[in-house]
Amino acid sequence: MKEVDKSLDDIYLFHLDKTYKQYKKFKKDFFKNLDLDLTSDQWIVLKRISEKEGINQKDLADSTFKEPASVTRILDILSRKGYIERRGTLQDRRVFELFLTEAGKAVVDKVIPAALAGRAKGIEGFSAAEVQQLIDLLDRLHHNFSSDTE
């Protein structure tokens, strides 16, 4: 069968898109069930700050694969919620060092056990080797789609 004649059901990108949409729904329900006013993007930023307290906005954007403007908006929201604090100069918001507040640490502590359970659900029935193979394959896809732009 020629590539052009393939059904959507035979195209890997269709399956990737379908899986991602289901995962987005799962994430939305995940935070709702935890009774947290938090989006997945906010969680990713909060989690990264918890891993690297003192990180600056540029490094945060790079390490979470988010646009700097998006990170600025997310940080503004997290700051208003009292989850993070910026420390640094007022002249340039990008050079602030970022830290969790006690409230931010409490959110991370609340989410982690549920996140671990959610991750386990996603790989239910997979062997450790299959999980590693999936990661490797996704990394290769990422690289292939990045090679022309980097």
Side-chain angles (χ1 to χ4, degrees):
M1 176 185 299
K2 291 186 224 173
E3 190 68 26
V4 71
D5 295 328
K6 284 186 175 179
S7 153
L8 277 177
D9 296 326
D10 296 323
I11 300 171
Y12 76 94
L13 288 172
F14 175 72
H15 289 274
L16 194 59
D17 189 54
K18 174 180 74 169
T19 302
Y20 180 68
K21 286 178 178 160
Q22 187 62 39
Y23 176 61
K24 278 177 64 173
K25 181 184 178 315
F26 175 83
K27 289 188 302 185
K28 182 181 175 197
D29 293 343
F30 174 85
F31 290 109
K32 183 180 176 185
N33 291 338
L34 284 176
D35 197 30
L36 283 173
D37 179 25
L38 202 65
T39 66
S40 176
D41 285 338
Q42 292 167 11
W43 165 246
I44 289 168
V45 168
L46 199 61
K47 177 69 165 91
R48 179 62 79 203
I49 294 169
S50 78
E51 295 170 348
K52 298 182 178 191
E53 290 222 64
I55 191 170
N56 66 44
Q57 183 173 328
K58 181 189 179 321
D59 292 341
L60 179 62
D62 290 345
S63 71
T64 57
F65 304 98
K66 298 192 181 309
E67 293 297 319
S70 295
V71 170
T72 299
R73 284 189 299 275
I74 292 167
L75 291 173
D76 288 344
I77 292 166
L78 293 174
S79 181
R80 278 194 304 274
K81 290 179 179 184
Y83 297 158
I84 63 149
E85 63 180 38
R86 295 170 165 121
R87 298 180 195 160
T89 65
L90 295 175
Q91 289 78 18
D92 189 346
R93 290 172 41 158
R94 293 167 298 174
V95 295
F96 279 104
E97 292 178 329
L98 303 162
F99 296 87
L100 294 183
T101 63
E102 288 306 314
K105 290 175 185 173
V107 168
V108 170
D109 289 344
K110 180 176 183 176
V111 172
I112 292 291
L116 293 174
R119 284 185 226 154
K121 179 174 179 46
I123 57 171
E124 231 169 58
F126 285 52
S127 70
E130 288 172 322
V131 171
Q132 188 57 55
Q133 182 180 26
L134 177 62
I135 291 168
D136 293 343
L137 292 170
L138 290 170
D139 283 347
R140 284 172 51 194
L141 275 172
H142 179 266
H143 173 76
N144 289 348
F145 284 117
S146 301
S147 60
D148 290 339
T149 60
E150 292 181 354

